[in-house]
Amino acid sequence: MDEQQKPGQPAPPAKPARRVFSGIQPTGAPHLGNYLGALRWWVDFQDRYDAFYCVVDLHALTVPGDPEELSKSTLTMATLLLACGLDPARCTLFVQSHVHYHADLTWLLECTASMGELSRMTQFKDKAQKGGEESARVGLFAYPVLMAADILLYDTDLVPVGDDQRQHLELTRDLAQRWNSRYGPTFVVPEAAIPPVGGGARVMDLQEPRRKMSKSADSDAGVVYLFDDPKVIERKVKRAVTDLDPPGPGSVRWDPEEKPGVSNLLELLATIRGGKPEDIARAYDGYARLKSDAADAVVSLVRPLQERYRELSQDPGAVQAVLAAGARKAEEVAAATYDRARTAMGLLTA
Ligand code: TYM
C-alpha cells in the first residue's frame, strides 16, 4: 500500500512500468558476445520492466542474403530467445516485419535525419568498406534510422545493448530530441543500458582479442557460437590467444590494453560466474588453468540453452503462435505512437 494512502481511500493509479526495447538480427549464428552483452540482460529485465523484444528481420535485408535462409533464421532466433529464458508471459516477443509501423516511422524519421550524421556512423563505414561504398545498399546507410524507429515506437526508456551499439543509441536520442523541439513533444528520449566494462559490454574475438567477437568475423576460430558443440567450445577457448610474456606471478592480470587476450578470458569468467575480473585474476599464475576454467564456465552456460532449444524446436508452431501474439501486442503500442508522429508532422488524417 502507498504510504500516503488513508484506509478506505481508493489506491492511486499504478505508476506505469518503465519500458524496455531491444532487438537482434536473425542472420548469422548467435554467439557468446550477443548473449553476455545483451541477451542475458533481456532475460533479467523482463521481470523489472515492461519489456518488448524484437527479431529485426528488416535490418537483415541491408546486406545480401538468401531469402529462404532469412525466414528460417528468423524462426531459429526466436526459438533461441525463448531457450535463453524469454517468457511470453513476462515480455512481448515479436518479429519486426510483422508490425508495419517500423517501416512507416522510418520514412518520417529519414525526413529529419541528415546525410552528414548518417555518414559518421562507424558501423556503416566498416560494413560498406568491405564490399565497396559504391555498391553498399541504401538500406545499409539508413539502417540506424530504422533502429531509431524501432526504439521510439515503443516509448522506450531503456535499451539493453552491447557497447558496439552506443553510437546508434546516441543518434536515436539526437533524432528524438530534434523532432520533439521541431514538432512538439512526441517521443520518449531513451537511454542505453550497456553492461559495465569487464561485465560483457564488449566480448572480444578469442583469436584476435583486439577485435570484438562478431558474426561477420573472417574466421570462426575465435567466435564461440551458442550452437557450437561443447567439445568445439572447449577447443576454441583452450586455443584462445593469450600473450607472449611467460606465465608466472603477475602474468594473469586484468589489463585490456596490454593483455587483451587474458583480460577477455577473465571477463568471460567474471560475467558467467560473477565477480570482478581483477579479483578473479589473483587466483591464477598461469594461462592453462585460466583457459580450462573459462572453457568449463562457457560450456556450463551454453549446455542448458542448447537442451532447451532442442525441446522448443520440436514445436515450431508454438513459437510462431508466441510471435503472432507478440506482434498483436506490439502493434497496439506502435500504432498509437505512429499516429502521434504523423499528426505532429502535419500529415492529413484519412
Ligand atoms: P546485433 O544483432 O548485431 O547484436 C545483438 C546484440 O548483441 C550485442 N553484441 C555484443 N555484445 C558484447 N560483445 C560483443 N562482441 C557483441 N556483439 C554483439 C549487440 O550490441 C546487440 O545488443 N543494430 C542491432 C539490432 C537492433 C537493435 C534495434 C538493438 C535493431 N534495432 C533497436 C536495440 C534496439 C544489431 O545489429 O545487433
Side-chain angles (χ1 to χ4, degrees):
M1 195 198 283
D2 190 282
E3 277 172 8
Q4 306 291 316
Q5 199 187 333
K6 300 209 170 63
Q9 272 189 348
K15 214 169 144 207
R18 299 232 297 157
R19 178 78 51 74
V20 156
F21 179 94
S22 200
I24 185 164
Q25 296 205 51
T27 38
H31 54 70
L32 199 57
N34 297 130
Y35 185 81
L36 296 178
L39 303 184
R40 72 192 179 107
W41 296 92
W42 294 19
V43 174
D44 187 45
F45 280 10
Q46 62 184 341
D47 289 321
R48 294 200 263 151
Y49 303 101
D50 181 18
F52 283 69
Y53 297 127
C54 186
V55 181
V56 293
D57 56 348
L58 296 176
H59 278 92
L61 301 176
T62 57
V63 291
D66 174 359
E68 220 175 285
E69 271 308 305
L70 178 58
S71 49
K72 273 193 212 149
S73 61
T74 301
L75 191 62
T76 301
M77 182 56 83
T79 310
L80 180 85
L81 293 176
L82 295 171
C84 287
L86 291 192
D87 174 358
R90 292 183 285 154
C91 72
T92 304
L93 175 63
F94 68 104
V95 173
Q96 186 183 33
S97 68
H98 294 179
V99 179
H100 62 83
Y101 297 106
H102 290 251
D104 297 344
L105 183 61
T106 299
W107 179 253
L108 304 192
L109 288 171
E110 274 171 1
C111 294
T112 71
S114 74
M115 297 285 287
E117 63 193 344
L118 291 186
S119 306
R120 286 192 287 278
M121 295 291 115
T122 53
Q123 285 211 348
F124 170 73
K125 285 195 240 173
D126 290 350
K127 285 193 185 173
Q129 222 172 28
K130 279 194 180 170
E133 204 163 299
E134 261 308 291
S135 60
R137 297 182 176 191
V138 174
L140 185 65
F141 185 68
Y143 176 114
V145 186
L146 176 58
M147 182 162 161
D150 298 340
I151 296 167
L152 299 180
L153 271 177
Y154 296 92
D155 290 336
T156 302
D157 297 295
L158 272 184
V159 187
V161 281
D163 183 68
D164 61 339
Q165 298 299 316
R166 196 182 284 277
Q167 197 187 28
H168 289 160
L169 255 297
E170 272 310 310
L171 177 77
T172 303
R173 288 169 56 82
D174 288 348
L175 292 178
Q177 276 158 346
R178 184 183 313 152
W179 178 298
N180 287 347
S181 64
R182 197 177 286 170
Y183 301 111
T186 308
F187 297 125
V188 172
V189 181
E191 306 253 353
I194 296 174
V197 176
R202 185 172 274 267
V203 175
M204 308 310 266
D205 187 291
L206 297 174
Q207 289 300 315
E208 291 186 72
R210 292 193 188 277
R211 298 172 65 116
K212 68 165 186 177
M213 191 176 281
S214 160
K215 291 172 186 167
S216 51
D218 294 335
S219 147
D220 281 353
V223 183
V224 175
Y225 295 106
L226 299 181
F227 289 129
D228 274 345
D229 186 272
K231 286 205 182 70
V232 173
I233 295 182
E234 201 178 319
R235 202 168 53 235
K236 284 181 177 173
V237 180
K238 286 190 173 166
R239 287 188 186 162
V241 167
T242 42
D243 304 282
L244 293 178
D245 45 332
S251 62
V252 175
R253 61 175 195 277
W254 168 249
D255 183 350
E257 269 309 306
E258 294 294 320
K259 298 181 76 78
V262 166
S263 301
N264 195 33
L265 292 173
L266 288 168
E267 180 161 350
L268 291 184
L269 267 175
T271 339
I272 298 171
R273 295 204 171 148
K276 288 192 177 153
E278 50 271 49
D279 298 338
I280 291 174
R282 288 194 204 104
Y284 296 94
D285 56 10
Y287 303 139
R289 199 161 57 80
L290 172 66
K291 288 183 183 180
S292 89
D293 283 359
D296 287 350
V298 176
V299 168
S300 63
L301 173 85
V302 163
R303 210 189 281 276
L305 301 185
Q306 294 187 348
E307 279 164 17
R308 184 93 182 99
Y309 176 83
R310 273 194 288 275
E311 281 166 31
L312 290 165
S313 60
Q314 302 298 311
D315 191 356
V319 179
Q320 296 227 2
V322 166
L323 296 175
R328 280 195 298 275
K329 247 180 98 185
E331 194 163 39
E332 258 177 53
V333 179
T337 317
Y338 179 71
D339 210 41
R340 236 168 35 229
R342 67 187 300 289
T343 308
M345 250 195 164
L347 298 175
L348 180 69
T349 304

